[in-house]
Amino acid sequence: MKLKFLGTGTSQGVPVIGCTCEVCTSQNPKDSRFRASAMVTTDENRKILIDCGPDFRQQMLLNKEDHIDITLLTHEHNDHVIGLDDMRPLIFKSGENMPIYCLSRVGHEVKNRFPYAFADIRYPGAPAFDLHEIDKEVFTVLDTEITPIEVIHYKISVLGYRFKNLAYITDAGFISDAEKEKLNGLDVLILNCIRKFDPHPAHFVLPDVIKLREELKPKKLFLTHLSHHFGLHDIEDKQLPPGIRLAYDGLEIIF
C-alpha cells in the first residue's frame, strides 16, 4: 500500500493570501501547501481519499489521479469537506454514487452543505453521495481493515485512520490514553503540527509532537497540516529530531 500527501497545509493554505513572509514568498515547491488531504492506494490499486477540501480539483489534476473508490472524512470543517462538489466528474464517469465514510455528525453537515446531492429529484449535473456512518470501531472496506482513531480538535471529535502499520491524524490537539493504544507498533505516524512554538487551542505544536513520539515510538513520524509559521521546509526539516520529518505535497510513503 502507499499513501500520497495531496495537501499538507492548514485551512488557509500556504502561501496565505496577502502574506509576504519568507515562507509565503518562497520559490521552493515544498513551501507551497494545499489544504490537508491524502490518498491511500491499496495493493489492488483501489483508491481511498482522506478528506476533500477546496483544493481537491487541483490536487487530482496535478497528481494525475483519475478515480476514487471511497472517501473518508476526518471532520466537517470546510477545509476538509468543501471540495466534495468537485467529485462530479468521477461520479459521472463511474455512474455510481461516491461512498463517504464519516461520523454521524459529519454526515449531517455534508447533507446541510450539499442538499442538492441528496434531493429526491436531483438536477442532472449534481453529485451523488452514499453516506456510511462509522464510529470508533474497526471496519473493513475494499478488503482493507481501517481503524478509526478518535482525537479532539478544540471541542469536537475528529477521526484519524490507521491502515496496517500507518496512521494518519490531522486536526488534533489531544489524544486519550485509550485511543493511543491504537497507535502502538506503528511503522509510520502522521500528525498535524501547526507551528513550532506557542501552544494552540486546537492543534499540536512541535513540543507536543516530540512528546507523543517519545511515548508512542513509531519508526517514522511525518508532520502535516503545517502553517507558514513553521518556517522554510529545507531549513526546518534538517533541524528536526531524528525520525521526524516534514511532509510536503506530493510525498509518497510505501507501507
Side-chain angles (χ1 to χ4, degrees), residues 7 21 32 46 59 70 84 95 157 195 206 212 248:
C21 76
S32 181
R46 308 300 293 275
Q59 291 166 336
I70 68 168
L84 287 171
S157 295
R195 56 197 182 212
L206 187 56
L212 279 169
Y248 55 88

Side-chain angles (χ1 to χ4, degrees), residues 10 12-28 31-33 194-195 226-233 235-236:
T10 54
Q12 296 184 84
V14 183
V16 176
I17 294 172
C19 183
T20 57
C21 76
E22 63 176 359
V23 176
C24 289
T25 56
S26 169
Q27 298 303 303
N28 185 348
D31 289 319
S32 181
R33 302 181 183 276
I194 199 165
R195 56 197 182 212
L226 298 152
S227 75
H228 61 154
H229 297 297
F230 202 99
L232 294 167
H233 179 279
I235 293 175
E236 302 300 339

